[in-house]
Amino acid sequence: MKRRDLLLATILVLAAACTTATVARKKTAIIPRSRRQQQLHPQAAAAGASSSSCDVYRGSWVVDESYPLYDAASCPFVRKEFDCRRMGRPDTLYLKYRWQPNPPSSLPRFDGVKLLNMWRGKKVMFVGDSLVVNQYESLLCMLHAAAPGARTNQSWASGENPSVTVRFEVRCDYGVTLVYFLSHYLVDLTNDTAGRTVLKLDGMDEARAWLGADVLVFGSWRWWWRKTWDYIQAGDNTVVQDMDRTQAFTKGLQTWARWVDANLAQTSTKVFFQGYSPDHLDSQQWGAPPGKTCIGETQPLNNAAAYHGQPNPQDAIVRRTLGAMAKPVHLLDITFMSQLRKDGHTTKYNGDSLGRDCTHWCVAGVPDTWNTVLYAALAGNS
């Protein structure tokens, strides 16, 4: 499959409604390095933590009748593949769960207006695969719910990276720009002079488009298991048809980390990395008889002991890489909370007649909590 066949880089520009009162800009709190290390290494931190330590990524899902945070039917940004209600999902309990961290931790309720004011005049960019799109479109819907009366304009651009731009126009303008940039591997996937697709493990030419962002959210893993290239190039002279995918991922992520340190370490840009989003293709992961998947599941698991899946090797690689970087990078450690949500996938309610999607998530749904954690980190409340 050629890069030109791998769909779109979607760019959305959001400038939402504001109140008649003048709202002052607020500076985003910077996460202390000591707290960042706890978030990057929660198990190690817990071993030596005091009783007052906090890990918002450990907890359980509780029913909250004030959820969901928005109605996807009123959101113009969610694609039908993620809009499970639009595609006929009849049950609604999956929309009612709120993530409750173990005490003494807590999460603030998402405040779209506060976040828009925090980001006034700033550029926020999501870079990665369709699971990053899942989070991105969820965030757009959460912000749109804060300014439901905004008028919108759309514009399209074609080329190597097709894009769509949407601007929210109202009396006052937050001037917030949100961008999704398609990058399955975070390193370059290019065509050589013979028309062959080459995955360059040391190539970061596409990263020029990421410069200038005030907030960057990255994510990559799933596509490393799909061979969309003819060759892999590592360095100037090493070209192979394939290699161990975990090794390739490690090399690519290290290249990305060096680029971040070289270009962003001395800037105020806040950098996040989306942790591993689990699938639910094997019912034995949650103690059910073999042969089933997430299809038909309507409730989450209620505790950590109920999940029997094995850790993904990406997790350790990401933690090790981020921990060695000069630039502080906040790991959105969404894995555990998402492992419990066997009920949250799009399954057959994604417009696909096969109905086997236990990888992507309904919107509204689980990605809203990923963005609540992102909001908490940006607001300095995590």
Side-chain angles (χ1 to χ4, degrees):
M1 183 182 298
K2 304 299 182 184
R3 181 171 176 80
R4 62 176 177 271
D5 297 321
L6 299 177
L7 284 200
L8 61 98
T10 305
I11 302 174
L12 284 161
V13 179
L14 174 63
C18 62
T19 59
T20 54
T22 300
V23 185
R25 292 188 182 184
K26 299 181 180 179
K27 294 184 178 180
T28 305
I30 299 176
I31 302 170
R33 184 173 180 83
S34 60
R35 188 186 301 173
R36 178 174 67 89
Q37 291 299 329
Q38 289 183 8
Q39 291 164 339
L40 294 180
H41 306 280
Q43 294 177 342
S50 67
S51 59
S52 61
S53 65
C54 176
D55 182 0
V56 298
Y57 299 109
R58 308 301 292 185
S60 59
W61 293 95
V62 298
V63 173
D64 188 331
E65 290 300 330
S66 68
Y67 272 51
L69 299 175
Y70 57 89
D71 180 2
S74 301
C75 177
F77 305 110
V78 56
R79 62 188 63 191
K80 65 181 180 63
E81 291 84 355
F82 299 158
D83 190 349
C84 297
R85 292 289 291 163
R86 174 184 171 189
M87 301 309 295
R89 182 164 179 169
D91 61 302
T92 58
L93 186 58
Y94 74 97
L95 295 168
K96 295 293 184 179
Y97 286 102
R98 172 176 56 83
W99 179 248
Q100 176 61 58
N102 293 333
S105 301
S106 62
L107 280 176
R109 189 174 180 87
F110 183 86
D111 188 333
V113 171
K114 181 177 180 179
L115 187 57
L116 286 167
N117 280 305
M118 188 186 308
W119 282 345
R120 184 182 293 271
K122 297 185 182 299
K123 181 179 182 180
V124 181
M125 181 176 286
F126 286 72
V127 181
D129 56 21
S130 57
L131 287 162
V132 174
V133 178
N134 237 174
Q135 182 175 0
Y136 174 68
E137 292 189 357
S138 160
L139 180 61
L140 288 172
C141 290
M142 294 166 81
L143 293 175
H144 179 262
R151 300 190 308 271
T152 62
N153 287 327
Q154 296 190 58
S155 60
W156 301 82
S158 59
E160 184 177 351
N161 296 108
S163 63
V164 58
T165 300
V166 177
R167 178 176 294 276
F168 286 60
E169 296 178 344
V170 286
R171 286 185 302 168
C172 295
D173 191 345
Y174 288 110
V176 180
T177 303
L178 288 104
V179 178
Y180 167 68
F181 187 96
L182 175 66
S183 180
H184 290 142
Y185 306 104
L186 302 183
V187 291
D188 292 340
L189 186 69
T190 64
N191 292 327
D192 65 13
T193 55
R196 296 169 300 187
T197 303
V198 182
L199 179 64
K200 296 186 175 182
L201 297 183
D202 296 310
M204 294 294 297
D205 287 345
E206 70 178 19
R208 289 192 295 265
W210 312 339
L211 295 172
D214 298 281
V215 179
L216 279 161
V217 181
F218 293 97
S220 176
W221 174 245
R222 292 280 177 185
W223 278 78
W224 288 90
W225 292 106
R226 304 182 185 183
K227 191 176 185 298
T228 62
W229 54 81
D230 297 308
Y231 296 96
I232 293 178
Q233 180 176 337
D236 294 332
N237 301 317
T238 302
V239 178
V240 296
Q241 287 190 328
D242 208 352
M243 67 167 59
D244 177 84
R245 302 301 174 77
T246 299
Q247 180 184 4
F249 172 74
T250 302
K251 288 180 178 292
L253 192 66
Q254 290 171 345
T255 297
W256 166 86
R258 288 192 296 270
W259 181 90
V260 170
D261 280 346
N263 291 275
L264 303 178
Q266 303 303 317
T267 72
S268 60
T269 301
K270 294 174 175 59
V271 183
F272 296 81
F273 199 95
Q274 184 194 77
Y276 178 71
S277 173
D279 59 42
H280 289 87
L281 292 167
D282 181 3
S283 56
Q284 294 181 87
Q285 292 177 337
W286 57 89
K292 294 184 61 180
T293 67
C294 71
I295 296 174
E297 296 290 341
T298 59
Q299 294 184 356
L301 300 169
N302 56 13
N303 58 66
Y307 185 81
H308 311 304
Q310 297 300 309
N312 189 281
Q314 177 252 15
D315 201 36
I317 296 168
V318 168
R319 292 176 190 276
R320 184 167 60 249
T321 302
L322 300 190
M325 293 173 66
K327 175 70 176 181
V329 178
H330 186 121
L331 176 63
L332 297 173
D333 194 6
I334 60 172
T335 302
F336 172 70
M337 63 171 63
S338 304
Q339 285 172 336
L340 301 183
R341 291 303 304 270
K342 58 184 173 62
D343 62 312
H345 293 285
T346 57
T347 64
K348 65 181 180 180
Y349 305 108
N350 67 344
D352 184 349
S353 59
L354 295 177
R356 298 172 181 173
D357 192 348
C358 292
T359 298
H360 298 98
W361 304 89
C362 296
V363 175
V366 173
D368 301 339
T369 296
W370 303 351
N371 285 316
T372 300
V373 173
L374 173 65
Y375 167 74
L378 288 163
N381 295 327
S382 63

